[in-house]
Structure formats: structure tokens, C-alpha cells
Amino acid sequence: MTTERRAAARFAAPTINLASVVYGLDAYLRSRGVDAADALRRAGLEPGDLADPDRRVPLIRYLELLEICADLLADPQFGLKFGAQYEPRHVGVVGNVALASRTVGEAFETIGRYLPTMVDATVHGVEASDGIVFVYSYYIDPLMMSYRQKADWAIAFACNLMRVGLGDPRWNPQEVVLPQLADETPAQRRTRAEIMGDTIRVGHPWAGIRFDAGLLKRPMATADAMLESLMRHYGDLRLAALPEQRGEIEQLRREIARVLVKGGIEHLAKATGTSVRTLQRRLKDTGVNYSDLQDDVRKTLALNLLENETLALAEIAFSLGYADVSAFNHAFRRWVGQSPGHYRRRRAVHADPPQRRTRSRALAGRFE
């Protein structure tokens, strides 16, 4: 593999299959007096992007589309409401295999396994501790944290998936955690509570839900062994069809992001079901080493997390696996040439939505 091909494999633009995540968006907007074609055009997309189950578009254009829809509807809770009404079976392999799974725990396990068939650069985690399970997700590419509609969509959809899977439309998580939350009116807070529940905590690095770990063993009301087998087979074929180098590097980047707090290459080898020596050889074959790949993941996550001004630098440092802020400061200066605090202060001037969108379009342009 040439140096250019290795670089392309390592830094390939993150993409998403829109047909899996915005099915019915055109009808949703039309019923509320908004032209879907206008929203797509503003996001640099076309109608075919919504319907083709095999077409993928730059991930950042999807994030931009959700923000544009919120603006056109004059509804800052668009992502929340759209996610709450979204039928889980429309989410392709991911939604169908999750609903067909035997238990709640298996449903979330399959989501993590087959998520790459729908979207790149995403970490999906399920962690149980002290009788509570935390289900969360986040992107590992920079400048994604500032898009609030996506976090609302993801949490509302996760709640909807649980309600459908459990056969309990009134189910709510014990707690919802969000990176940030805009000021809301009393009516908007009531709407959020109806969809997410009353217990919402802001300022967490990742968006997610917490609930009783005992639910992981609860049978899914929608379980279907034959459908699950068929969808797993189809999902495995879709995974195998992903570009080999990009798929492997993306998998390693996701696993590094998942195990950053736990340690180094030994934990990564265990998470990927291989030995340290085999993992090192695989990385060498793709033209990278573990240290460089870990630095790449930490840098992109740091740039992402610094967009969230509610997070203290110590929280960010811990989330990236650093023992203290000074070690994070040293690494960030090496990557960017300035301290994380200085970088954040300089970015603050770009916090308003119009400027953020100009920045996102420039980023999307670099990916194409």
C-alpha cells in the first residue's frame, strides 16, 4: 500500500447512510409547511440521499441537516421530537436486529456491532456498574459536539427503542446525560421531560441514558429468532463489504476511544480479540503504530470535547485517559501549539450557529 493510500485509509471522511436515520423526514417537514428539498439543498444534499439504502454521505452534512431543519421549523427541539417518533425498524440492520434480539442486553450489543454499517467514527458503549447501566454514544471526529440536534435525536430514539422493545410506551430512563443544553421555556422543558423523563444532567462528555442493569436480562417483547438470524447474516455481509483498510482502522480508532481510560495497547488487543504482537503487526501493515493512532484519537476527541464549554479541563483530561490536567496540557501543546484553555477561549468567538455552520461547511468541503 502506498503512503497516499495509507493516509486515505487513516483519515477517510466519516460518512453516514441517511436512509437509515432520516426516513420520513420529507413527510415530517411537509406536514409542518417546510420544503424538504430546501433543507437538503442548504445542507449540500439531494433527495436521492434520503432514499438509497446503500448511499453514504459526509457525516457532517447530516449533522448540518438536522440544525437546518430546526431553523426552518423554528423549533429548537426538532431533533428531540423527530427522534421520539422515529420507528426503530427504519434504522436498517441496526434497528431490526436490535428489536429482534432476545434480551435488552443483546439488543444493545448488536447495535454496537452493526453500527458501522450505518455510520463511521462512532463509539457505542454499554457499561454496567453498581447495578446501573450506562448506554452512550459519541463521535471521535472534531467539531461534532457543537451539533445539539443530533444528541437529542439519539437519546429520544434510544428511549423509543426501549419502549418498543419492552412493550412499555411509558418507560423512561433513570437518568439522561447530555453534553450541553440550550435554555428552554417551561413548555419546552415539559416536552423534554415527556420524551426523556424528569432526571436530566448536563455537562457530561457523552450523551447517554442510565437505567437499572437488571433490564439487560429482560426479554424483548419484539424478539424474533428467525428475523434476528437473517438480519445478523445480512449485517455481517454489510460489514464485510466495508472498505477493508478504512473499516479496520475505524474499528481500532473506536476501540482506542472506548478503552482510553483503561490503559494502552494491551487493553486494545483484548478489546479486539487479538494478541499485542498480532495487533502491532496489523498496525504496521497499515502504515501506523499504536502511539500515533492513540494520539490521533486523543487529539480529535480533545478538539471535540473542548467545543463543550460546560466541561472542565480536568473532566476532559480524565475522559482521554490522562492522570492529570498537566499531562493533557503538555500533549495538547504538542498537537496544536497552544494550551487547551487558550484554544477554547479563541474558539468561543465562533460559538453562534451561523459561524459554526460556515466552519462545518469548510470542514465538509475538505472531506470531499
Side-chain angles (χ1 to χ4, degrees), residues 138-146 205-206 253 257 260 293-309 311-313 315-322 325 327-336 338-341 343-344 347:
Y138 58 91
Y139 294 131
I140 58 174
D141 281 77
L143 303 183
M144 303 298 189
M145 187 69 75
S146 58
W206 327 122
R253 292 181 81 232
L260 274 176
L293 195 56
Q294 183 185 57
D295 261 8
D296 175 43
V297 173
R298 276 177 159 162
K299 177 183 176 181
T300 53
L301 278 174
L303 293 172
N304 188 334
L305 294 172
L306 284 167
E307 294 287 320
N308 181 358
E309 295 184 3
L311 288 176
L313 293 182
E315 291 178 285
I316 295 175
F318 177 75
S319 297
L320 300 179
Y322 292 104
V325 175
F328 172 48
N329 283 342
H330 178 77
F332 196 86
R333 284 183 181 276
R334 176 163 50 83
W335 300 328
V336 181
Q338 55 188 297
S339 72
Y343 174 87
R344 172 179 270 176
R347 297 293 292 182

Short mmCIF file of all heavy atoms in Angstrom, two decimals, residues 138-146 205-206 253 257 260 293-309 311-313 315-322 325 327-336 338-341 343-344 347:
data_model
loop_
_atom_site.label_atom_id
_atom_site.label_comp_id
_atom_site.label_asym_id
_atom_site.label_seq_id
_atom_site.Cartn_x
_atom_site.Cartn_y
_atom_site.Cartn_z
N TYR A 138 -20.87 8.53 21.01
CA TYR A 138 -20.25 9.81 20.64
C TYR A 138 -19.42 9.63 19.39
O TYR A 138 -19.04 8.51 19.02
CB TYR A 138 -19.40 10.37 21.79
CG TYR A 138 -18.27 9.47 22.26
CD1 TYR A 138 -17.01 9.56 21.71
CD2 TYR A 138 -18.47 8.56 23.30
CE1 TYR A 138 -15.97 8.75 22.16
CE2 TYR A 138 -17.45 7.76 23.76
CZ TYR A 138 -16.20 7.86 23.18
OH TYR A 138 -15.18 7.06 23.63
N TYR A 139 -19.13 10.75 18.72
CA TYR A 139 -18.28 10.75 17.55
C TYR A 139 -16.84 10.98 17.98
O TYR A 139 -16.58 11.68 18.96
CB TYR A 139 -18.68 11.84 16.56
CG TYR A 139 -20.04 11.64 15.95
CD1 TYR A 139 -20.98 12.68 15.92
CD2 TYR A 139 -20.39 10.42 15.39
CE1 TYR A 139 -22.22 12.49 15.35
CE2 TYR A 139 -21.64 10.23 14.83
CZ TYR A 139 -22.55 11.26 14.80
OH TYR A 139 -23.78 11.08 14.24
N ILE A 140 -15.89 10.44 17.22
CA ILE A 140 -14.49 10.64 17.56
C ILE A 140 -13.80 11.57 16.58
O ILE A 140 -12.57 11.62 16.51
CB ILE A 140 -13.73 9.30 17.65
CG1 ILE A 140 -13.80 8.53 16.33
CG2 ILE A 140 -14.27 8.46 18.78
CD1 ILE A 140 -12.95 7.27 16.32
N ASP A 141 -14.58 12.32 15.82
CA ASP A 141 -14.01 13.31 14.93
C ASP A 141 -14.33 14.71 15.45
O ASP A 141 -15.36 14.93 16.08
CB ASP A 141 -14.52 13.14 13.50
CG ASP A 141 -13.82 12.00 12.79
OD1 ASP A 141 -14.17 10.85 13.09
OD2 ASP A 141 -12.92 12.26 11.99
N PRO A 142 -13.46 15.69 15.16
CA PRO A 142 -13.61 17.03 15.76
C PRO A 142 -14.81 17.79 15.23
O PRO A 142 -15.34 17.51 14.16
CB PRO A 142 -12.30 17.73 15.36
CG PRO A 142 -11.87 17.03 14.11
CD PRO A 142 -12.27 15.61 14.29
N LEU A 143 -15.22 18.79 16.01
CA LEU A 143 -16.27 19.74 15.65
C LEU A 143 -17.66 19.12 15.58
O LEU A 143 -18.58 19.70 15.04
CB LEU A 143 -15.95 20.43 14.32
CG LEU A 143 -14.62 21.18 14.26
CD1 LEU A 143 -14.49 21.88 12.93
CD2 LEU A 143 -14.49 22.18 15.39
N MET A 144 -17.84 17.92 16.15
CA MET A 144 -19.15 17.29 16.11
C MET A 144 -19.98 17.62 17.36
O MET A 144 -21.19 17.56 17.34
CB MET A 144 -19.02 15.77 16.00
CG MET A 144 -18.23 15.29 14.78
SD MET A 144 -18.98 15.75 13.22
CE MET A 144 -17.98 14.83 12.06
N MET A 145 -19.30 17.94 18.46
CA MET A 145 -20.00 18.13 19.73
C MET A 145 -20.96 19.31 19.71
O MET A 145 -21.94 19.33 20.43
CB MET A 145 -18.98 18.31 20.86
CG MET A 145 -19.59 18.34 22.24
SD MET A 145 -20.26 16.74 22.72
CE MET A 145 -18.73 15.87 23.09
N SER A 146 -20.68 20.32 18.87
CA SER A 146 -21.48 21.54 18.92
C SER A 146 -22.84 21.38 18.23
O SER A 146 -23.64 22.29 18.24
CB SER A 146 -20.71 22.71 18.27
OG SER A 146 -20.37 22.39 16.94
N PRO A 205 -19.35 14.33 29.26
CA PRO A 205 -18.65 14.28 27.97
C PRO A 205 -19.47 13.65 26.85
O PRO A 205 -19.37 14.07 25.71
CB PRO A 205 -17.40 13.44 28.28
CG PRO A 205 -17.16 13.64 29.74
CD PRO A 205 -18.53 13.76 30.34
N TRP A 206 -20.28 12.62 27.18
CA TRP A 206 -21.03 11.91 26.14
C TRP A 206 -22.52 11.93 26.45
O TRP A 206 -22.92 11.93 27.61
CB TRP A 206 -20.58 10.45 26.02
CG TRP A 206 -19.14 10.20 26.31
CD1 TRP A 206 -18.63 9.36 27.27
CD2 TRP A 206 -18.00 10.77 25.66
NE1 TRP A 206 -17.26 9.37 27.24
CE2 TRP A 206 -16.84 10.23 26.26
CE3 TRP A 206 -17.84 11.67 24.61
CZ2 TRP A 206 -15.55 10.56 25.87
CZ3 TRP A 206 -16.55 12.01 24.21
CH2 TRP A 206 -15.44 11.46 24.83
N ARG A 253 -9.78 2.71 15.88
CA ARG A 253 -9.96 4.05 16.45
C ARG A 253 -11.11 4.05 17.44
O ARG A 253 -11.03 4.66 18.50
CB ARG A 253 -10.20 5.09 15.35
CG ARG A 253 -8.99 5.33 14.45
CD ARG A 253 -9.29 6.38 13.39
NE ARG A 253 -9.15 7.71 13.94
CZ ARG A 253 -10.07 8.66 13.86
NH1 ARG A 253 -11.22 8.41 13.28
NH2 ARG A 253 -9.86 9.85 14.37
N ALA A 257 -10.77 4.75 21.48
CA ALA A 257 -11.59 5.74 22.18
C ALA A 257 -12.33 5.11 23.35
O ALA A 257 -12.49 5.72 24.41
CB ALA A 257 -12.60 6.35 21.20
N LEU A 260 -9.58 4.24 26.33
CA LEU A 260 -8.56 5.24 26.69
C LEU A 260 -8.32 5.30 28.19
O LEU A 260 -7.19 5.37 28.65
CB LEU A 260 -8.97 6.62 26.18
CG LEU A 260 -8.58 6.96 24.74
CD1 LEU A 260 -9.13 8.32 24.35
CD2 LEU A 260 -7.07 6.93 24.55
N LEU A 293 -1.65 6.29 16.49
CA LEU A 293 -3.10 6.13 16.38
C LEU A 293 -3.79 6.62 17.64
O LEU A 293 -4.83 7.29 17.58
CB LEU A 293 -3.43 4.66 16.12
CG LEU A 293 -4.85 4.34 15.63
CD1 LEU A 293 -5.17 5.11 14.35
CD2 LEU A 293 -5.00 2.85 15.40
N GLN A 294 -3.21 6.32 18.80
CA GLN A 294 -3.78 6.79 20.06
C GLN A 294 -3.74 8.32 20.13
O GLN A 294 -4.70 8.96 20.55
CB GLN A 294 -3.03 6.20 21.25
CG GLN A 294 -3.63 6.59 22.60
CD GLN A 294 -2.81 6.09 23.76
OE1 GLN A 294 -1.63 6.38 23.87
NE2 GLN A 294 -3.44 5.31 24.63
N ASP A 295 -2.63 8.91 19.70
CA ASP A 295 -2.53 10.36 19.67
C ASP A 295 -3.59 10.97 18.75
O ASP A 295 -4.19 12.00 19.06
CB ASP A 295 -1.14 10.79 19.21
CG ASP A 295 -0.23 11.15 20.36
OD1 ASP A 295 -0.62 10.93 21.53
OD2 ASP A 295 0.88 11.67 20.12
N ASP A 296 -3.80 10.33 17.60
CA ASP A 296 -4.79 10.82 16.64
C ASP A 296 -6.18 10.82 17.28
O ASP A 296 -6.93 11.80 17.17
CB ASP A 296 -4.76 9.94 15.39
CG ASP A 296 -5.86 10.30 14.40
OD1 ASP A 296 -6.07 11.50 14.18
OD2 ASP A 296 -6.48 9.38 13.85
N VAL A 297 -6.53 9.72 17.95
CA VAL A 297 -7.84 9.64 18.59
C VAL A 297 -7.96 10.65 19.72
O VAL A 297 -8.98 11.34 19.86
CB VAL A 297 -8.08 8.21 19.12
CG1 VAL A 297 -9.37 8.15 19.94
CG2 VAL A 297 -8.16 7.22 17.96
N ARG A 298 -6.94 10.75 20.55
CA ARG A 298 -6.98 11.71 21.67
C ARG A 298 -7.10 13.15 21.16
O ARG A 298 -7.86 13.95 21.72
CB ARG A 298 -5.73 11.56 22.52
CG ARG A 298 -5.81 10.45 23.55
CD ARG A 298 -4.54 10.30 24.32
NE ARG A 298 -4.77 9.60 25.59
CZ ARG A 298 -3.81 9.03 26.30
NH1 ARG A 298 -2.55 9.07 25.87
NH2 ARG A 298 -4.09 8.45 27.44
N LYS A 299 -6.38 13.47 20.12
CA LYS A 299 -6.43 14.84 19.59
C LYS A 299 -7.83 15.16 19.06
O LYS A 299 -8.40 16.21 19.38
CB LYS A 299 -5.40 15.02 18.49
CG LYS A 299 -5.45 16.40 17.84
CD LYS A 299 -4.45 16.51 16.70
CE LYS A 299 -4.58 17.86 15.98
NZ LYS A 299 -3.64 17.98 14.86
N THR A 300 -8.40 14.25 18.25
CA THR A 300 -9.72 14.53 17.69
C THR A 300 -10.79 14.58 18.78
O THR A 300 -11.69 15.43 18.73
CB THR A 300 -10.10 13.49 16.63
OG1 THR A 300 -9.97 12.17 17.17
CG2 THR A 300 -9.23 13.60 15.40
N LEU A 301 -10.68 13.72 19.77
CA LEU A 301 -11.63 13.78 20.89
C LEU A 301 -11.45 15.06 21.69
O LEU A 301 -12.44 15.67 22.12
CB LEU A 301 -11.45 12.57 21.79
CG LEU A 301 -12.14 11.27 21.36
CD1 LEU A 301 -11.73 10.13 22.28
CD2 LEU A 301 -13.65 11.43 21.37
N ALA A 302 -10.21 15.48 21.90
CA ALA A 302 -9.96 16.71 22.65
C ALA A 302 -10.58 17.91 21.94
O ALA A 302 -11.24 18.76 22.57
CB ALA A 302 -8.46 16.91 22.85
N LEU A 303 -10.37 18.01 20.63
CA LEU A 303 -10.95 19.11 19.86
C LEU A 303 -12.48 19.08 19.95
O LEU A 303 -13.13 20.12 20.02
CB LEU A 303 -10.50 19.02 18.40
CG LEU A 303 -9.01 19.25 18.15
CD1 LEU A 303 -8.66 18.94 16.71
CD2 LEU A 303 -8.61 20.68 18.50
N ASN A 304 -13.02 17.88 19.93
CA ASN A 304 -14.47 17.70 20.06
C ASN A 304 -14.96 18.18 21.42
O ASN A 304 -15.86 19.02 21.54
CB ASN A 304 -14.78 16.22 19.85
CG ASN A 304 -16.27 15.92 19.76
OD1 ASN A 304 -17.10 16.65 20.28
ND2 ASN A 304 -16.59 14.82 19.11
N LEU A 305 -14.35 17.67 22.48
CA LEU A 305 -14.81 17.97 23.83
C LEU A 305 -14.61 19.43 24.23
O LEU A 305 -15.39 19.97 25.00
CB LEU A 305 -14.09 17.06 24.83
CG LEU A 305 -14.43 15.56 24.71
CD1 LEU A 305 -13.51 14.73 25.61
CD2 LEU A 305 -15.88 15.31 25.05
N LEU A 306 -13.59 20.06 23.70
CA LEU A 306 -13.36 21.46 24.03
C LEU A 306 -14.43 22.38 23.47
O LEU A 306 -14.57 23.52 23.91
CB LEU A 306 -11.98 21.90 23.53
CG LEU A 306 -10.81 21.40 24.39
CD1 LEU A 306 -9.48 21.61 23.65
CD2 LEU A 306 -10.77 22.10 25.74
N GLU A 307 -15.22 21.87 22.49
CA GLU A 307 -16.34 22.66 21.98
C GLU A 307 -17.43 22.81 23.04
O GLU A 307 -18.26 23.70 22.97
CB GLU A 307 -16.93 21.98 20.74
CG GLU A 307 -16.02 21.94 19.53
CD GLU A 307 -15.87 23.31 18.88
OE1 GLU A 307 -16.89 24.02 18.79
OE2 GLU A 307 -14.76 23.65 18.48
N ASN A 308 -17.44 21.89 24.00
CA ASN A 308 -18.46 21.91 25.06
C ASN A 308 -17.92 22.70 26.25
O ASN A 308 -17.14 22.19 27.04
CB ASN A 308 -18.80 20.47 25.46
CG ASN A 308 -19.88 20.41 26.53
OD1 ASN A 308 -20.35 21.44 27.02
ND2 ASN A 308 -20.26 19.21 26.91
N GLU A 309 -18.35 23.93 26.39
CA GLU A 309 -17.79 24.82 27.42
C GLU A 309 -18.24 24.44 28.83
O GLU A 309 -17.71 24.97 29.80
CB GLU A 309 -18.16 26.26 27.10
CG GLU A 309 -17.53 26.77 25.80
CD GLU A 309 -17.82 28.23 25.55
OE1 GLU A 309 -18.47 28.87 26.40
OE2 GLU A 309 -17.41 28.74 24.50
N LEU A 311 -17.77 21.55 30.11
CA LEU A 311 -16.83 20.55 30.61
C LEU A 311 -15.56 21.22 31.13
O LEU A 311 -14.93 22.01 30.43
CB LEU A 311 -16.46 19.56 29.50
CG LEU A 311 -17.53 18.56 29.06
CD1 LEU A 311 -17.01 17.73 27.88
CD2 LEU A 311 -17.92 17.64 30.21
N ALA A 312 -15.18 20.89 32.35
CA ALA A 312 -13.92 21.38 32.90
C ALA A 312 -12.75 20.66 32.22
O ALA A 312 -12.90 19.53 31.75
CB ALA A 312 -13.86 21.14 34.40
N LEU A 313 -11.59 21.31 32.19
CA LEU A 313 -10.43 20.69 31.56
C LEU A 313 -10.05 19.39 32.26
O LEU A 313 -9.59 18.44 31.61
CB LEU A 313 -9.25 21.66 31.58
CG LEU A 313 -9.39 22.92 30.71
CD1 LEU A 313 -8.12 23.76 30.79
CD2 LEU A 313 -9.70 22.56 29.26
N GLU A 315 -12.14 17.23 33.57
CA GLU A 315 -13.05 16.19 33.08
C GLU A 315 -12.61 15.69 31.71
O GLU A 315 -12.65 14.49 31.42
CB GLU A 315 -14.47 16.75 32.98
CG GLU A 315 -15.14 17.02 34.32
CD GLU A 315 -16.53 17.61 34.12
OE1 GLU A 315 -16.63 18.79 33.77
OE2 GLU A 315 -17.50 16.87 34.31
N ILE A 316 -12.19 16.62 30.86
CA ILE A 316 -11.73 16.23 29.53
C ILE A 316 -10.47 15.40 29.62
O ILE A 316 -10.34 14.36 28.96
CB ILE A 316 -11.48 17.49 28.66
CG1 ILE A 316 -12.80 18.22 28.42
CG2 ILE A 316 -10.82 17.12 27.34
CD1 ILE A 316 -12.66 19.54 27.68
N ALA A 317 -9.54 15.82 30.48
CA ALA A 317 -8.29 15.07 30.65
C ALA A 317 -8.57 13.64 31.09
O ALA A 317 -8.00 12.69 30.55
CB ALA A 317 -7.39 15.78 31.66
N PHE A 318 -9.46 13.47 32.06
CA PHE A 318 -9.78 12.13 32.55
C PHE A 318 -10.46 11.30 31.46
O PHE A 318 -10.17 10.12 31.30
CB PHE A 318 -10.68 12.21 33.78
CG PHE A 318 -11.12 10.85 34.28
CD1 PHE A 318 -10.23 10.04 34.97
CD2 PHE A 318 -12.40 10.39 34.03
CE1 PHE A 318 -10.62 8.78 35.42
CE2 PHE A 318 -12.80 9.13 34.47
CZ PHE A 318 -11.90 8.33 35.17
N SER A 319 -11.37 11.92 30.71
CA SER A 319 -12.07 11.21 29.64
C SER A 319 -11.10 10.69 28.58
O SER A 319 -11.37 9.70 27.91
CB SER A 319 -13.11 12.11 28.98
OG SER A 319 -14.10 12.49 29.91
N LEU A 320 -9.97 11.37 28.43
CA LEU A 320 -8.97 10.98 27.43
C LEU A 320 -7.92 10.06 28.00
O LEU A 320 -6.97 9.68 27.30
CB LEU A 320 -8.31 12.22 26.84
CG LEU A 320 -9.25 13.21 26.12
CD1 LEU A 320 -8.47 14.41 25.61
CD2 LEU A 320 -9.97 12.51 24.98
N GLY A 321 -8.04 9.70 29.28
CA GLY A 321 -7.12 8.75 29.87
C GLY A 321 -5.89 9.36 30.51
O GLY A 321 -4.94 8.64 30.85
N TYR A 322 -5.88 10.68 30.72
CA TYR A 322 -4.74 11.34 31.38
C TYR A 322 -4.96 11.36 32.89
O TYR A 322 -6.08 11.53 33.36
CB TYR A 322 -4.55 12.77 30.87
CG TYR A 322 -4.11 12.82 29.43
CD1 TYR A 322 -4.99 13.16 28.41
CD2 TYR A 322 -2.79 12.53 29.08
CE1 TYR A 322 -4.59 13.20 27.08
CE2 TYR A 322 -2.38 12.57 27.76
CZ TYR A 322 -3.29 12.91 26.77
OH TYR A 322 -2.88 12.93 25.45
N VAL A 325 -4.36 17.19 34.62
CA VAL A 325 -4.52 18.22 33.59
C VAL A 325 -3.17 18.58 32.98
O VAL A 325 -3.08 18.88 31.78
CB VAL A 325 -5.20 19.47 34.18
CG1 VAL A 325 -5.25 20.59 33.16
CG2 VAL A 325 -6.62 19.13 34.64
N ALA A 327 -0.61 16.74 32.24
CA ALA A 327 -0.24 15.81 31.17
C ALA A 327 -1.06 16.10 29.91
O ALA A 327 -0.54 16.04 28.79
CB ALA A 327 -0.45 14.38 31.63
N PHE A 328 -2.35 16.41 30.09
CA PHE A 328 -3.20 16.77 28.96
C PHE A 328 -2.70 18.07 28.32
O PHE A 328 -2.62 18.18 27.09
CB PHE A 328 -4.64 16.92 29.44
CG PHE A 328 -5.59 17.47 28.41
CD1 PHE A 328 -5.62 16.96 27.13
CD2 PHE A 328 -6.48 18.49 28.74
CE1 PHE A 328 -6.50 17.46 26.17
CE2 PHE A 328 -7.36 18.99 27.81
CZ PHE A 328 -7.38 18.47 26.51
N ASN A 329 -2.37 19.06 29.14
CA ASN A 329 -1.85 20.33 28.61
C ASN A 329 -0.61 20.11 27.77
O ASN A 329 -0.46 20.69 26.68
CB ASN A 329 -1.52 21.29 29.76
CG ASN A 329 -2.75 21.94 30.36
OD1 ASN A 329 -3.81 21.95 29.74
ND2 ASN A 329 -2.63 22.46 31.57
N HIS A 330 0.30 19.28 28.27
CA HIS A 330 1.56 19.02 27.55
C HIS A 330 1.28 18.38 26.19
O HIS A 330 1.84 18.78 25.17
CB HIS A 330 2.45 18.11 28.39
CG HIS A 330 3.73 17.75 27.71
ND1 HIS A 330 4.80 18.63 27.62
CD2 HIS A 330 4.13 16.60 27.08
CE1 HIS A 330 5.78 18.04 26.96
NE2 HIS A 330 5.41 16.81 26.63
N ALA A 331 0.38 17.38 26.19
CA ALA A 331 0.06 16.70 24.93
C ALA A 331 -0.64 17.65 23.97
O ALA A 331 -0.34 17.67 22.76
CB ALA A 331 -0.82 15.48 25.21
N PHE A 332 -1.56 18.46 24.47
CA PHE A 332 -2.32 19.36 23.59
C PHE A 332 -1.41 20.42 22.97
O PHE A 332 -1.57 20.77 21.79
CB PHE A 332 -3.46 20.02 24.37
CG PHE A 332 -4.51 20.64 23.49
CD1 PHE A 332 -5.55 19.87 23.00
CD2 PHE A 332 -4.46 21.98 23.15
CE1 PHE A 332 -6.51 20.43 22.17
CE2 PHE A 332 -5.40 22.56 22.34
CZ PHE A 332 -6.45 21.77 21.84
N ARG A 333 -0.46 20.92 23.75
CA ARG A 333 0.50 21.87 23.19
C ARG A 333 1.32 21.23 22.07
O ARG A 333 1.64 21.88 21.07
CB ARG A 333 1.44 22.38 24.29
CG ARG A 333 0.80 23.40 25.22
CD ARG A 333 1.81 23.92 26.23
NE ARG A 333 1.22 24.87 27.15
CZ ARG A 333 1.08 26.17 26.88
NH1 ARG A 333 1.51 26.65 25.71
NH2 ARG A 333 0.53 26.98 27.76
N ARG A 334 1.66 19.96 22.23
CA ARG A 334 2.41 19.26 21.20
C ARG A 334 1.57 19.11 19.92
O ARG A 334 2.10 19.23 18.82
CB ARG A 334 2.84 17.89 21.74
CG ARG A 334 3.55 17.00 20.74
CD ARG A 334 4.28 15.86 21.45
NE ARG A 334 3.42 15.17 22.40
CZ ARG A 334 2.57 14.20 22.06
NH1 ARG A 334 2.48 13.82 20.80
NH2 ARG A 334 1.83 13.59 22.99
N TRP A 335 0.26 18.89 20.08
CA TRP A 335 -0.60 18.71 18.91
C TRP A 335 -0.93 20.02 18.21
O TRP A 335 -0.93 20.10 16.99
CB TRP A 335 -1.94 18.08 19.33
CG TRP A 335 -1.84 16.74 19.96
CD1 TRP A 335 -0.92 15.76 19.71
CD2 TRP A 335 -2.72 16.22 20.97
NE1 TRP A 335 -1.17 14.67 20.49
CE2 TRP A 335 -2.26 14.91 21.27
CE3 TRP A 335 -3.84 16.71 21.64
CZ2 TRP A 335 -2.90 14.11 22.22
CZ3 TRP A 335 -4.46 15.91 22.57
CH2 TRP A 335 -4.00 14.62 22.85
N VAL A 336 -1.27 21.04 19.02
CA VAL A 336 -1.89 22.25 18.48
C VAL A 336 -1.00 23.48 18.59
O VAL A 336 -1.20 24.47 17.88
CB VAL A 336 -3.26 22.50 19.17
CG1 VAL A 336 -3.95 23.73 18.63
CG2 VAL A 336 -4.16 21.28 19.01
N GLN A 338 -0.66 25.28 21.41
CA GLN A 338 -1.18 26.17 22.45
C GLN A 338 -1.89 25.33 23.50
O GLN A 338 -2.19 24.16 23.27
CB GLN A 338 -2.15 27.20 21.86
CG GLN A 338 -3.29 26.58 21.08
CD GLN A 338 -4.12 27.62 20.36
OE1 GLN A 338 -4.75 28.48 20.99
NE2 GLN A 338 -4.13 27.57 19.03
N SER A 339 -2.16 25.93 24.65
CA SER A 339 -2.81 25.18 25.72
C SER A 339 -4.28 24.96 25.38
O SER A 339 -4.87 25.73 24.61
CB SER A 339 -2.71 25.95 27.04
OG SER A 339 -3.56 27.09 27.01
N PRO A 340 -4.92 23.93 25.94
CA PRO A 340 -6.34 23.72 25.68
C PRO A 340 -7.21 24.88 26.15
O PRO A 340 -8.21 25.21 25.53
CB PRO A 340 -6.66 22.42 26.43
CG PRO A 340 -5.55 22.22 27.40
CD PRO A 340 -4.35 22.85 26.77
N GLY A 341 -6.81 25.51 27.27
CA GLY A 341 -7.58 26.65 27.75
C GLY A 341 -7.53 27.81 26.77
O GLY A 341 -8.56 28.45 26.50
N TYR A 343 -6.88 27.59 23.54
CA TYR A 343 -7.60 27.15 22.34
C TYR A 343 -9.10 27.36 22.52
O TYR A 343 -9.79 27.86 21.63
CB TYR A 343 -7.29 25.68 22.07
CG TYR A 343 -8.09 25.07 20.94
CD1 TYR A 343 -7.65 25.15 19.62
CD2 TYR A 343 -9.30 24.41 21.20
CE1 TYR A 343 -8.39 24.60 18.59
CE2 TYR A 343 -10.04 23.85 20.17
CZ TYR A 343 -9.57 23.94 18.86
OH TYR A 343 -10.31 23.39 17.85
N ARG A 344 -9.62 26.97 23.68
CA ARG A 344 -11.07 27.10 23.95
C ARG A 344 -11.49 28.56 23.94
O ARG A 344 -12.54 28.90 23.40
CB ARG A 344 -11.41 26.45 25.28
CG ARG A 344 -12.83 26.69 25.72
CD ARG A 344 -13.13 25.99 27.04
NE ARG A 344 -13.63 24.64 26.83
CZ ARG A 344 -13.89 23.80 27.82
NH1 ARG A 344 -13.63 24.12 29.07
NH2 ARG A 344 -14.37 22.60 27.56
N ARG A 347 -11.79 29.77 20.49
CA ARG A 347 -12.91 29.20 19.76
C ARG A 347 -14.24 29.82 20.19
O ARG A 347 -15.23 29.75 19.46
CB ARG A 347 -12.99 27.69 20.02
CG ARG A 347 -11.80 26.91 19.53
CD ARG A 347 -11.69 26.89 18.05
NE ARG A 347 -12.76 26.12 17.43
CZ ARG A 347 -12.85 25.93 16.12
NH1 ARG A 347 -11.97 26.48 15.31
NH2 ARG A 347 -13.83 25.22 15.63
#
